Amino acid sequence: MDILSFTRKMHHALPPGTVMNNPAGGTTTVEWIDNERLCYRRGRALFYVSLQELHSAYLHFRGGQTTTTALREFAPEVFDSSAKGHNCNCTVLFMALERMGLAGPISGRGRRGDPFAVRVTHGS
């Protein structure tokens, strides 16, 4: 799936105001999405993530299972809070892919030894 199709699917699946139950607890709310970034709220904090980075992760892991640990290793600058990314981007990717029909269901407890995981499909 090319970036344009991915972006269209994401716009359709995550319109502003979408509230998702985060597997780590609480909710994640989509504030806005454009053709370059997704802005979401977790608690009182706002986070921004590049759609290109999410697409790259999707392409890398499609057809297999991935975990939050693998995402942090793949692109720490996006998915790892200790490397100028943010751990919340992991669950946002998983929830977005699930809503887009490209992954699911999310499993795991989000803890060391039992990270969140998801099977990523090839999509259409």
Side-chain angles (χ1 to χ4, degrees):
M1 175 180 306
D2 64 21
I3 184 66
L4 185 57
S5 298
F6 184 85
T7 299
R8 282 187 194 135
K9 251 186 186 317
M10 187 164 285
H11 276 265
H12 180 72
L14 299 173
T18 300
V19 178
M20 300 175 283
N21 291 321
N22 195 295
T27 60
T28 298
T29 303
V30 175
E31 293 293 319
W32 54 262
I33 183 171
D34 63 19
N35 290 329
E36 295 181 16
R37 294 187 303 168
L38 168 66
C39 173
Y40 64 94
R41 179 176 301 280
R42 206 59 190 114
R44 293 183 180 159
L46 285 178
F47 298 95
Y48 305 86
V49 62
S50 158
L51 298 186
Q52 180 63 53
E53 297 289 355
L54 297 179
H55 179 250
S56 293
Y58 165 72
L59 290 178
H60 183 80
F61 292 105
R62 71 182 170 178
Q65 180 148 333
T66 190
T67 65
T68 49
T69 304
L71 279 175
R72 286 192 297 272
E73 290 171 356
F74 168 70
E77 68 283 1
V78 177
F79 299 108
D80 190 341
S81 295
S82 67
K84 298 191 180 184
H86 205 283
N87 295 348
C88 288
N89 290 338
C90 294
T91 53
V92 162
L93 175 62
F94 288 177
M95 291 184 297
L97 291 176
E98 193 171 44
R99 290 183 67 94
M100 293 163 68
L102 299 174
I106 300 170
S107 62
R109 294 184 29 190
R111 308 260 188 269
R112 184 178 301 271
D114 190 18
F116 293 122
V118 71
R119 177 152 302 282
V120 183
T121 67
H122 281 282
S124 52

